[in-house]
Amino acid sequence: MNRVSRRKLITTGLAAAGGAAGLAVANNLAQRYGLIPPDSSVLYGTGETLTYAAQRILTRHSMAREFPRSEISKIPFVNGAPPKGEAFRRLQAGGFADWRLAVNGMVSRPASFSLSELKSYPSHSQITHLACEEGWSYIAEWTGVPLSHVLDVAGVLPQARYVVYFSMQHRWWDSIDMADALHPQTLLAYGLNSGELPVGNGGPLRLRVPRQLGYKNVKYITRLVVTDDLKKFGKGLGSASPEAGYAWYAGI
Ligand SMILES: Nc1nc2c(c(=O)[nH]1)N[C@H]1C(S)=C(S)[C@@H](COP(=O)(O)O)O[C@H]1N2
Ligand SMILES: [Mo]
């Protein structure tokens, strides 16, 4: 599908969603923000573009629901197994003292952070719902440093548009736009339900982005790259998810 007809679809969707906002205003907004998701050329692209653009314009700053402590699920589900192989095993045996999170790309101060450095930054806790696309979900308390804080320390350049994040499990990498990256509930999480983040749930460090589905919450994060262009990564669709048939934008 070409750019012009895609834009027409966004416009139509936004006009329907925005009601009184009107066609001209919606068209302007979609163009100004460049609200075409990176995987818009694949099969489900049309619907994704509508969802993404409408969400960004209508609910850009909204918060994921937070729950009282009494609603925390008895057992946080664990999906998948921790990284296999010697490197992870050795890090785990050392209590993750040698774990590092590298941050580079469009930043003025590329850096590498140890867990204790990350833990020395202001921490944030939230009790939120993690929903897997397969239908199961749970409520848990997540503790970590807001991603926005780490991005501030690294000095994100003004032209940055996305943050790409990579797991020690190389199959798992993903990205979010700056609206989600700077969102106050988006954390680099190292704690779960008042304890350390268990290895099964992504310990020592995972991304927690409660406004998107479970699969965007990548575990065992070791590297962040700030960029203005997702085409450079993988097959250019923004993450491993669309390469496997899932949407890049999984907003809830
Ligand atoms: N590295 C990595 N990250 C991952 C996964 C995984 O298998 N490996 N599974 C994803 C999926 S599909 C979901 S639903 C959530 C589940 O998180 P949990 O195992 O902590 O419940 O993690 C996501 N992040
Ligand atoms: Mo999932």
Side-chain angles (χ1 to χ4, degrees), residues 191-211:
L192 181 68
N193 294 339
S194 310
E196 296 281 309
L197 179 60
V199 160
N201 296 101
L205 194 70
R206 85 179 301 170
L207 190 83
R208 178 71 186 116
V209 49
R211 296 197 47 215

Side-chain angles (χ1 to χ4, degrees), residues 77-84 88-89 91-93 95-96 99 142 169 190 192 195-206 218-221:
F77 289 82
V78 169
N79 185 26
K84 298 182 178 52
F88 187 80
R89 205 199 55 73
L91 285 163
Q92 189 175 10
F96 297 114
W99 183 275
W142 300 90
Q169 291 178 322
Y190 47 72
L192 181 68
E196 296 281 309
L197 179 60
V199 160
N201 296 101
L205 194 70
R206 85 179 301 170
V218 171
K219 310 197 257 193
Y220 322 109
I221 295 279

Side-chain angles (χ1 to χ4, degrees), residues 113-123 144-145 149-150 153 190:
F113 302 92
S114 67
L115 284 174
S116 51
E117 277 174 292
L118 294 175
K119 288 177 181 174
S120 75
Y121 295 142
S123 86
V145 53
H149 185 88
V150 173
V153 172
Y190 47 72

